PDB file of all heavy atoms in Angstrom:
ATOM      1  N   THR V 164      -4.688  26.684  12.390  1.00 90.00           N
ATOM      2  CA  THR V 164      -5.779  27.545  12.888  1.00 90.00           C
ATOM      3  C   THR V 164      -6.985  27.424  11.961  1.00 90.00           C
ATOM      4  O   THR V 164      -7.901  28.298  12.058  1.00 90.00           O
ATOM      5  CB  THR V 164      -5.338  28.959  13.057  1.00 90.00           C
ATOM      6  OG1 THR V 164      -4.709  29.475  11.905  1.00 90.00           O
ATOM      7  CG2 THR V 164      -4.366  29.089  14.249  1.00 90.00           C
ATOM      8  N   THR V 165      -6.961  26.503  11.059  1.00 88.00           N
ATOM      9  CA  THR V 165      -8.146  26.371  10.169  1.00 88.00           C
ATOM     10  C   THR V 165      -8.353  24.769   9.924  1.00 88.00           C
ATOM     11  O   THR V 165      -7.539  24.030  10.401  1.00 88.00           O
ATOM     12  CB  THR V 165      -7.941  27.002   8.805  1.00 88.00           C
ATOM     13  OG1 THR V 165      -9.171  26.897   8.066  1.00 88.00           O
ATOM     14  CG2 THR V 165      -6.789  26.338   7.983  1.00 88.00           C
ATOM     15  N   SER V 166      -9.434  24.420   9.344  1.00 89.00           N
ATOM     16  CA  SER V 166      -9.775  23.033   9.103  1.00 89.00           C
ATOM     17  C   SER V 166      -9.281  22.591   7.714  1.00 89.00           C
ATOM     18  O   SER V 166      -9.114  23.434   6.792  1.00 89.00           O
ATOM     19  CB  SER V 166     -11.245  22.752   9.227  1.00 89.00           C
ATOM     20  OG  SER V 166     -11.936  23.479   8.224  1.00 89.00           O
ATOM     21  N   PRO V 167      -8.917  21.372   7.540  1.00 86.00           N
ATOM     22  CA  PRO V 167      -8.468  20.898   6.178  1.00 86.00           C
ATOM     23  C   PRO V 167      -9.572  21.067   5.169  1.00 86.00           C
ATOM     24  O   PRO V 167     -10.785  20.990   5.480  1.00 86.00           O
ATOM     25  CB  PRO V 167      -8.177  19.415   6.437  1.00 86.00           C
ATOM     26  CG  PRO V 167      -7.913  19.307   7.887  1.00 86.00           C
ATOM     27  CD  PRO V 167      -8.863  20.253   8.525  1.00 86.00           C
ATOM     28  N   SER V 168      -9.178  21.281   3.929  1.00 85.00           N
ATOM     29  CA  SER V 168     -10.086  21.479   2.842  1.00 85.00           C
ATOM     30  C   SER V 168     -10.308  20.163   2.104  1.00 85.00           C
ATOM     31  O   SER V 168      -9.369  19.391   1.992  1.00 85.00           O
ATOM     32  CB  SER V 168      -9.647  22.560   1.919  1.00 85.00           C
ATOM     33  OG  SER V 168      -9.508  23.755   2.493  1.00 85.00           O
ATOM     34  N   TYR V 169     -11.430  20.056   1.457  1.00 86.00           N
ATOM     35  CA  TYR V 169     -11.644  18.967   0.471  1.00 86.00           C
ATOM     36  C   TYR V 169     -10.887  19.307  -0.801  1.00 86.00           C
ATOM     37  O   TYR V 169     -10.918  20.445  -1.290  1.00 86.00           O
ATOM     38  CB  TYR V 169     -13.121  18.781   0.173  1.00 86.00           C
ATOM     39  CG  TYR V 169     -13.308  17.776  -1.009  1.00 86.00           C
ATOM     40  CD1 TYR V 169     -13.068  16.436  -0.832  1.00 86.00           C
ATOM     41  CD2 TYR V 169     -13.491  18.313  -2.260  1.00 86.00           C
ATOM     42  CE1 TYR V 169     -13.167  15.592  -1.916  1.00 86.00           C
ATOM     43  CE2 TYR V 169     -13.575  17.470  -3.354  1.00 86.00           C
ATOM     44  CZ  TYR V 169     -13.398  16.060  -3.166  1.00 86.00           C
ATOM     45  OH  TYR V 169     -13.414  15.281  -4.259  1.00 86.00           O
ATOM     46  N   ASN V 170     -10.245  18.352  -1.411  1.00 70.00           N
ATOM     47  CA  ASN V 170      -9.775  18.372  -2.786  1.00 70.00           C
ATOM     48  C   ASN V 170      -9.811  17.026  -3.395  1.00 70.00           C
ATOM     49  O   ASN V 170     -10.006  16.058  -2.629  1.00 70.00           O
ATOM     50  CB  ASN V 170      -8.370  19.073  -2.931  1.00 70.00           C
ATOM     51  CG  ASN V 170      -7.280  18.262  -2.144  1.00 70.00           C
ATOM     52  OD1 ASN V 170      -6.963  17.131  -2.603  1.00 70.00           O
ATOM     53  ND2 ASN V 170      -6.809  18.728  -1.073  1.00 70.00           N
ATOM     54  N   ASN V 171      -9.543  16.855  -4.647  1.00 64.00           N
ATOM     55  CA  ASN V 171      -9.700  15.576  -5.281  1.00 64.00           C
ATOM     56  C   ASN V 171      -8.359  14.887  -5.540  1.00 64.00           C
ATOM     57  O   ASN V 171      -8.164  14.247  -6.547  1.00 64.00           O
ATOM     58  CB  ASN V 171     -10.488  15.678  -6.623  1.00 64.00           C
ATOM     59  CG  ASN V 171      -9.764  16.568  -7.625  1.00 64.00           C
ATOM     60  OD1 ASN V 171      -8.822  17.279  -7.311  1.00 64.00           O
ATOM     61  ND2 ASN V 171     -10.202  16.530  -8.790  1.00 64.00           N
ATOM     62  N   THR V 172      -7.407  15.066  -4.604  1.00 56.00           N
ATOM     63  CA  THR V 172      -6.148  14.332  -4.650  1.00 56.00           C
ATOM     64  C   THR V 172      -6.045  13.301  -3.511  1.00 56.00           C
ATOM     65  O   THR V 172      -6.844  13.388  -2.526  1.00 56.00           O
ATOM     66  CB  THR V 172      -4.920  15.281  -4.552  1.00 56.00           C
ATOM     67  OG1 THR V 172      -4.782  15.667  -3.171  1.00 56.00           O
ATOM     68  CG2 THR V 172      -5.096  16.484  -5.406  1.00 56.00           C
ATOM     69  N   ALA V 173      -5.200  12.367  -3.629  1.00 48.00           N
ATOM     70  CA  ALA V 173      -5.018  11.373  -2.533  1.00 48.00           C
ATOM     71  C   ALA V 173      -4.458  11.919  -1.324  1.00 48.00           C
ATOM     72  O   ALA V 173      -4.472  11.362  -0.270  1.00 48.00           O
ATOM     73  CB  ALA V 173      -4.076  10.280  -3.075  1.00 48.00           C
ATOM     74  N   GLN V 174      -3.946  13.145  -1.329  1.00 50.00           N
ATOM     75  CA  GLN V 174      -3.448  13.795  -0.149  1.00 50.00           C
ATOM     76  C   GLN V 174      -4.519  14.647   0.622  1.00 50.00           C
ATOM     77  O   GLN V 174      -4.171  15.428   1.468  1.00 50.00           O
ATOM     78  CB  GLN V 174      -2.215  14.736  -0.536  1.00 50.00           C
ATOM     79  CG  GLN V 174      -0.988  13.971  -0.762  1.00 50.00           C
ATOM     80  CD  GLN V 174      -0.224  13.745   0.580  1.00 50.00           C
ATOM     81  OE1 GLN V 174      -0.094  14.580   1.364  1.00 50.00           O
ATOM     82  NE2 GLN V 174       0.267  12.539   0.711  1.00 50.00           N
TER      83      GLN V 174
END
Side-chain angles (χ1 to χ4, degrees):
T164 52
T165 188
S166 62
S168 297
Y169 169 77
N170 63 67
N171 63 348
T172 75
Q174 282 274 317

